[in-house]
């Protein structure tokens, strides 16, 4: 049983508190989702982009259910404040992501913002967007353990086969 | 120490009040009423220069002492902190700036970057190009709220739309295709 409620300590709490309150947080995320659907690549503070990512992916999953679905249309109506984007969502994004089972967005960290707050920023984009690709670091270099082991194995095979 | 300070205080207070009364009455006609004089009763002990107003006996033991009475109880350092103690506090690891060991060289442009962050130079390059593309899109769309219901494809100088770009909206950019933007 909890003998004391430590209200000021937040160890282990996972839910973020953005904006002025729960309604304000939803408005913030809604604006970000609308911007993402319109521009397909946006820069935002990392925490907001992280929160928004889940909502955006669920919205696309709802859109995949189809135009005629009542729940999908109500979701799109709530989350997209600019109503011409509802057409874009159902006619462009849903067919684009139909073959993919999940993970329709990509989020990468950028150097900190130039203003006085030096906030941690992220760029979040929908996969398959028409813009030039972000130059991402390659994780499969020659120096990784797996690649070094494979290289050694390949050389062993060649030495066994050659003589 | 506090008790020693207290015992002469009522007598001192009485004496000073009598002197003050004499001053106010006639010896210094220039200052009348409640105006502040050029000099005030100065005390050698650590106490406020102006004594609190003569309170009645009934209010002697009031509940919460006001700030003027409680100045005697403020926290103050007892002795000088030696340089050794100061050095221990100032050079404690938690106060020093941590050394970053996650800085690498970007393989594309050669600038420095953190391992888990995108390269600033390469990102600025891509951002400038997307900004120009968005200007072209704005010119094509005309007004606000005209998001198209078809996909978009970007073509540079001397490029023709392939059969994959059948029903898509075409955005032209009047320059050579940059090397890092590979056409799909």
């Amino acid at each position: 049983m909890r003998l004391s409620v430590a209200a000021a300590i937040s160890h282990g709490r996972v839910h973020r508190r953005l904006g002025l309150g729960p309604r304000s947080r939803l408005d913030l995320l809604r604006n970000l989702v609308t911007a993402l659907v319109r521009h397909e690549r946006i820069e935002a503070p990392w925490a907001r982009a992280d929160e928004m990512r889940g909502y955006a992916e669920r919205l696309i999953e709802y859109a995949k259910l189809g135009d005629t679905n009542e729940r999908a249309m109500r979701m799109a109506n709530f989350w997209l404040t600019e109503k011409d984007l509802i057409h874009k969502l159902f006619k462009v994004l849903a067919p684009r992501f139909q073959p993919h089972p999940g993970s329709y967005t990509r989020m990468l960290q950028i150097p900190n913002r130039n203003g006085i707050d030096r906030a941690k920023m992220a760029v979040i984009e929908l996969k398959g967007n028409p813009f030039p690709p972000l130059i991402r670091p390659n994780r499969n270099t020659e120096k990784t353990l797996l690649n070094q082991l494979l290289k050694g194995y390949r050389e062993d095979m060649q030495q066994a086969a050659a003589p | 120490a506090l008790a020693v300070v207290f015992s002469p205080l009522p007598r001192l207070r009485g004496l000073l009040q009598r002197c003050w009364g004499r001053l106010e009455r006639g010896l210094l006609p220039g200052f009348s009423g409640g105006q502040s004089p050029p000099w005030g009763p100065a005390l050698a002990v650590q106490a406020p220069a102006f004594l609190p107003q003569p309170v009645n006996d009934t209010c002697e033991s009031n509940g919460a002492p006001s700030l003027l009475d409680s100045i005697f109880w403020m926290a103050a350092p007892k002795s000088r902190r030696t340089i050794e103690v100061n050095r221990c506090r100032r050079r404690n690891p938690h106060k020093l700036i941590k050394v970053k060991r996650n800085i690498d060289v970007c393989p594309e442009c050669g600038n420095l970057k953190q391992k888990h962050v995108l390269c600033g130079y390469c990102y600025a390059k891509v951002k400038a190009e997307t900004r120009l593309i968005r200007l072209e899109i704005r010119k094509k769309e005309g007004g606000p709220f005209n998001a198209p219901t078809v996909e978009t494809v970007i073509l540079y100088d001397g490029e023709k739309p392939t059969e994959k770009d059948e029903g898509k909206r075409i955005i032209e950019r009047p320059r050579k295709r940059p090397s890092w933007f590979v056409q799909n």
Side-chain angles (χ1 to χ4, degrees):
Chain A
M1 66 180 163
R2 283 177 102 198
L3 294 174
S4 69
V5 177
I9 303 179
S10 85
H11 290 169
R13 312 261 171 115
V14 296
H15 300 288
R16 270 181 260 232
R17 298 193 282 178
L18 304 173
L20 308 163
R23 289 286 165 106
S24 162
R25 172 181 163 271
L26 282 173
D27 286 334
L28 264 167
L29 295 175
R30 192 167 40 178
N31 288 341
L32 283 171
V33 168
T34 308
L36 181 67
V37 170
R38 161 153 261 136
H39 297 116
E40 302 202 21
R41 178 188 286 174
I42 56 175
E43 255 179 43
W46 192 90
R48 291 183 189 185
D50 204 34
E51 281 289 297
M52 188 264 280
R53 197 176 180 194
Y55 286 101
E57 304 216 339
R58 274 172 210 259
L59 178 66
I60 295 178
E61 270 172 27
Y62 265 104
K64 276 196 197 172
L65 297 176
D67 208 344
T68 45
N69 193 322
E70 175 55 37
R71 286 172 69 208
M73 189 49 83
R74 280 211 320 258
M75 272 297 179
N77 187 30
F78 175 77
W79 279 98
L80 300 173
T81 50
E82 293 160 14
K83 302 307 170 187
D84 58 320
L85 292 175
I86 303 181
H87 298 279
K88 179 178 176 183
L89 177 72
F90 284 108
K91 292 181 187 162
V92 177
L93 298 182
R96 191 204 280 184
F97 293 122
Q98 202 63 48
H100 295 244
S103 97
Y104 316 112
T105 55
R106 181 181 293 133
M107 190 170 105
L108 297 155
Q109 191 182 344
I110 305 176
N112 286 355
R113 204 195 277 176
N114 281 331
I116 199 94
D117 64 347
R118 307 296 289 174
K120 178 178 183 181
M121 299 289 278
V123 63
I124 181 166
E125 62 170 9
L126 295 170
K127 291 184 182 169
N129 65 75
F131 294 122
L134 290 169
I135 300 179
R136 284 178 287 153
N138 184 16
R139 308 289 289 189
N140 293 334
T141 57
E142 208 204 289
K143 305 286 169 101
T144 59
L145 180 63
L146 186 60
N147 283 346
Q148 288 279 294
L149 291 172
L150 286 171
K151 181 175 153 198
Y153 183 69
R154 215 181 304 131
E155 279 165 14
D156 287 344
M157 287 290 110
Q158 280 166 3
Q159 277 184 354
Chain B
L2 235 50
V4 171
V5 165
F6 252 109
S7 41
L9 202 54
R11 283 176 225 156
L12 214 62
R13 192 193 275 187
L15 169 65
L16 286 166
Q17 273 169 8
R18 268 176 269 128
C19 298
W20 188 243
R22 254 181 267 148
L23 280 172
E24 277 202 327
R25 249 168 272 128
L27 286 171
L28 217 52
F31 298 92
S32 60
Q35 284 169 13
S36 62
W39 62 81
L43 296 175
V45 301
Q46 188 185 3
F50 284 94
L51 291 171
Q53 293 303 313
V55 292
N56 302 331
D57 281 323
T58 51
C59 309
E60 272 276 346
S61 55
N62 48 2
S66 63
L67 180 64
L68 292 167
D69 295 331
S70 68
I71 281 180
F72 296 106
W73 283 277
M74 290 215 157
K78 195 67 188 173
S79 51
R80 180 204 151 107
R81 280 163 154 184
T82 57
I83 186 63
E84 293 88 5
V85 165
N86 281 342
R87 279 198 195 119
C88 287
R89 184 184 66 255
R90 288 167 195 164
R91 298 180 187 185
N92 188 24
H94 106 279
K95 291 216 180 172
L96 301 178
I97 304 178
K98 309 269 183 313
V99 174
K100 283 198 208 295
R101 300 211 179 265
N102 52 2
I103 304 181
D104 251 346
V105 173
C106 170
E108 313 282 320
C109 58
N111 289 325
L112 296 174
K113 71 187 261 305
Q114 278 195 298
K115 285 187 187 155
H116 59 292
V117 178
L118 293 184
C119 167
Y121 186 80
C122 300
Y123 179 67
K125 215 166 52 176
V126 174
K127 199 168 152 185
E129 185 61 29
T130 33
R131 183 181 151 268
L132 294 170
I133 293 172
R134 284 204 180 125
L135 283 177
E136 298 280 326
I137 291 178
R138 231 172 74 180
K139 271 192 288 191
K140 191 141 198 188
E141 284 184 1
F145 307 126
N146 288 343
T149 51
V150 290
E151 296 264 11
T152 312
V153 83
I154 304 170
L155 297 173
Y156 285 88
D157 257 345
E159 282 174 15
K160 297 279 170 291
T162 64
E163 65 272 359
K164 274 197 310 184
D165 318 328
E166 276 306 289
K168 299 187 188 175
R169 160 178 81 152
I170 299 186
I171 303 284
E172 306 268 314
R173 281 276 298 129
R175 58 155 280 186
K176 193 169 77 84
R177 180 167 280 263
S179 55
W180 40 271
F181 188 2
V182 177
Q183 189 175 18
N184 291 338

